[in-house]
Amino acid sequence: MKRLVLMIKPASSSCDMRCNYCFYNDVAVSRHKANLGIMERKTALTLLTNVFSELKAGDQITFAFQGGEPALAGLEFFSFFTQQAKKMAPPKVRIYYAFQTNGLILAGENAANWCALFKDYGFLIGLSLDGYAALHNLNRHDAIGKGTHSKVLEAKKMLDTYNVEYNILCVLTLESARRAKRIWDFIITHRIKHVQFIPCLEPLHQESEGPALTSQKFYQFYSILFPLWKRAALEGNMVHVRLFEDLAGIFLAGKAVTCGMSGRCSPQMVVEADGSVYPCDFYVLDKYKTSDLTKHNIREVFEATVTGVFLKESRVQPKWCNGCAYVSWCGGGCKRMAKAVYGKDCGIRRFLDEYLKDLLEVYS
């Protein structure tokens, strides 16, 4: 049985926000052509044809829409895509959907129609929200420079009203890493049940004194957050924090869920608006393009991704990993997050040394 995930960027790098730390804008401007436009319906149809031609009963496919801001492709595009996918899928092929958004569409006049579509097709929404207002508005601005916190809270309210499943995506910056208690209080106050803290990364090709996280601050944040989380969990108020669930999965079941946790790059299939395919969301760069879903079926695309330049590039395990008790599963961690999470003063190692036993007690 196949379980495939396509990360699709139907609006390429287009976005209606101007976040200070946007990693995909940093990636896009490093390409020959930064913005590949809005995915055409013809491209979407060909993509679906080349996906479903290789799937059979019992197989599963997840279409995960990201950006930029994928909503800029328009509600009609997603209505078309979901209807065509339902019609074209072979019998007993399971289709899942995910949609990562900054939330502005869900604070707009057409929000109810968006939520109805998300509910009808079982979308899992990733909603970007960096905690309380002052912290969120520090980096997340709209196109004219205004903070967006109030609009994102409106979006959250719409998702709650329509009972659409969602996770909160909170970018962890140098500043927010110092504010773990206030962020946790915000999570509890707003009854957030699923949250993923995404490390803020340095630009690809330069050192930065901006909001990028460091491994020391990564540890500092989680060393404050974890006791608060554990106490709430033991009192029956479980908040699903992605890092904690990943670590529990690794140490209790031997399975890493989030890409990069094992220190080895796994083949992703990231599809840009023109159908071109890349092996990693952090490296959607010209030199790593592996295939094109408008010209090849999903099997050929997967094989090209596995044998492409990106996964062949060797990565030398850092010397400071020698002798580490966790290196057998970590392998030095995701290379793109080396400074933000791992590095010589490894934030993951320090966290596990102090809290692993307590973490596993909660999940056992």
Side-chain angles (χ1 to χ4, degrees):
M1 180 173 64
K2 302 184 187 74
R3 292 186 176 91
L4 301 177
V5 178
L6 286 185
M7 299 170 62
I8 303 174
K9 297 183 179 290
S12 191
S13 60
S14 299
C15 192
D16 47 1
M17 284 178 58
R18 301 293 183 268
C19 301
N20 294 339
Y21 48 53
C22 181
F23 88 86
Y24 200 66
N25 180 65
D26 174 49
V27 169
V29 299
S30 299
R31 300 191 300 234
H32 177 69
K33 188 174 182 181
N35 194 322
L36 300 175
I38 303 297
M39 182 175 283
E40 297 178 358
R41 293 191 179 192
K42 179 181 178 181
T43 302
L45 280 175
T46 307
L47 180 156
L48 288 169
T49 298
N50 286 333
V51 168
F52 289 134
S53 66
E54 292 292 316
L55 299 186
K56 300 177 181 178
D59 291 342
Q60 300 177 9
I61 178 71
T62 297
F63 297 110
F65 297 102
Q66 298 185 327
E69 172 52 52
L72 294 181
L75 180 59
E76 290 185 359
F77 171 86
F78 289 98
S79 297
F80 171 80
F81 190 102
T82 50
Q83 290 167 14
Q84 292 300 317
K86 183 178 181 179
K87 182 169 65 175
M88 296 170 65
K92 298 183 179 180
V93 167
R94 296 292 300 272
I95 303 174
Y96 299 94
Y97 291 102
F99 189 99
Q100 184 172 326
T101 180
N102 59 37
L104 296 190
I105 56 152
L106 298 177
E109 60 182 18
N110 212 17
N113 291 329
W114 279 99
C115 286
L117 181 137
F118 292 153
K119 185 63 178 177
D120 288 345
Y121 286 92
F123 274 67
L124 172 63
I125 307 303
L127 179 65
S128 295
L129 175 60
D130 283 359
Y132 58 92
L135 190 61
H136 177 98
N137 290 337
L138 190 64
N139 290 297
R140 300 190 64 81
H141 315 131
D142 64 18
I144 60 172
K146 291 182 62 176
T148 57
H149 189 263
S150 61
K151 290 186 177 180
V152 181
L153 283 187
E154 287 182 40
K156 178 184 178 299
K157 184 177 180 180
M158 288 296 296
L159 294 172
D160 287 331
T161 298
Y162 282 82
N163 198 27
V164 176
E165 187 176 357
Y166 65 92
N167 298 331
I168 293 299
L169 307 177
C170 181
V171 176
L172 193 56
T173 66
L174 273 180
E175 182 64 23
S176 59
R178 303 184 181 102
R179 311 286 185 231
K181 176 63 167 58
R182 287 195 65 182
I183 292 172
W184 179 254
D185 289 344
F186 177 85
I187 288 170
I188 296 300
T189 298
H190 290 272
R191 300 180 181 181
I192 292 168
K193 290 298 182 181
H194 295 83
V195 59
Q196 179 178 358
F197 295 102
I198 302 172
C200 181
L201 305 178
E202 281 189 332
L204 273 172
H205 304 300
Q206 64 189 65
E207 295 289 323
S208 172
E209 296 182 358
L213 191 66
T214 65
S215 58
Q216 296 94 329
K217 293 301 180 182
F218 173 92
Y219 166 75
Q220 176 182 319
F221 175 81
Y222 279 107
S223 68
I224 296 172
L225 186 82
F226 179 81
L228 300 171
W229 170 85
K230 180 185 176 184
R231 182 170 61 195
L234 294 178
E235 291 174 351
N237 185 15
M238 172 61 80
V239 176
H240 300 274
V241 177
R242 173 60 67 85
L243 177 67
F244 299 160
E245 298 199 338
D246 280 344
L247 292 172
I250 289 168
F251 286 97
L252 294 176
K255 295 181 180 179
V257 177
T258 299
C259 182
M261 290 290 287
S262 67
R264 295 180 296 276
C265 293
S266 56
Q268 298 181 26
M269 289 180 284
V270 182
V271 186
E272 256 288 359
D274 63 349
S276 55
V277 181
Y278 304 80
C280 175
D281 197 28
F282 292 140
Y283 293 94
V284 185
L285 302 170
D286 295 330
K287 71 174 182 177
Y288 293 129
K289 177 181 174 181
T290 60
S291 190
D292 190 322
L293 255 176
T294 66
K295 300 176 182 177
H296 304 282
N297 64 41
I298 193 68
R299 175 182 52 80
E300 294 167 333
V301 167
F302 181 80
E303 291 173 353
T305 301
V306 170
T307 59
V309 172
F310 182 77
L311 293 184
K312 285 184 177 181
E313 289 182 344
S314 62
R315 185 182 182 219
V316 177
Q317 185 173 289
K319 62 182 180 181
W320 49 76
C321 293
N322 296 337
C324 176
Y326 315 110
V327 72
S328 61
W329 66 263
C330 171
C334 170
K335 65 181 181 180
R336 187 68 176 91
M337 294 191 181
K339 186 171 182 179
V341 178
Y342 305 94
K344 188 174 182 179
D345 186 23
C346 181
I348 285 281
R349 182 180 67 241
R350 294 180 66 191
F351 175 81
L352 292 174
D353 282 345
E354 188 165 351
Y355 297 111
L356 178 59
K357 182 179 178 181
D358 289 340
L359 176 70
L360 298 184
E361 285 178 358
V362 174
Y363 283 103
S364 297

